[in-house]
Amino acid sequence: MKELKKSKEKILIRTCHACLKLNESTKELERCAHCNKAFLPIRYFDKIHHAEESKWENYFYPTDLIEEEDLIKGLFVLW
């Protein structure tokens, strides 16, 4: 019998607020995979006010850096 290996990477599941489809990724998504609607990064205002970053892509973090408290209930799940 084959043993299942658990993945150590967290998966972020996000509901698109425009088309209501589910999106899964190991990094914050910039756009919906179904309707291409743009998303803001999690904790957008904290990142914009405290970062000196100039590239927009750097505001979207991998799931290892996202905590459960950062998520908006009903739109996100960290699995």
Side-chain angles (χ1 to χ4, degrees):
M1 183 180 261
K2 245 185 181 179
E3 287 186 36
L4 295 175
K5 293 183 180 180
K6 284 190 173 182
S7 174
K8 296 200 180 218
E9 279 189 301
K10 297 178 193 175
I11 296 176
L12 181 69
I13 302 172
R14 179 176 187 153
T15 303
C16 177
H17 56 280
C19 69
L20 301 177
K21 300 286 185 180
L22 293 177
N23 296 278
E24 295 182 13
S25 179
T26 56
K27 184 181 179 206
E28 286 185 71
L29 292 169
E30 294 182 41
R31 298 193 168 273
C32 176
H34 302 279
C35 70
N36 210 29
K37 172 76 175 159
F39 295 141
L40 288 175
I42 296 172
R43 300 187 62 92
Y44 168 76
F45 290 109
D46 290 340
K47 291 177 183 177
I48 293 297
H49 293 298
H50 294 108
E52 299 292 328
E53 200 60 51
S54 60
K55 290 187 178 180
W56 179 248
E57 299 85 28
N58 294 337
Y59 291 119
F60 294 89
Y61 290 167
T63 54
D64 296 338
L65 300 176
I66 300 172
E67 297 296 325
E68 191 74 33
E69 296 83 30
D70 298 334
L71 304 178
I72 300 171
K73 291 179 180 161
L75 288 181
F76 297 96
V77 173
L78 199 56
W79 199 263

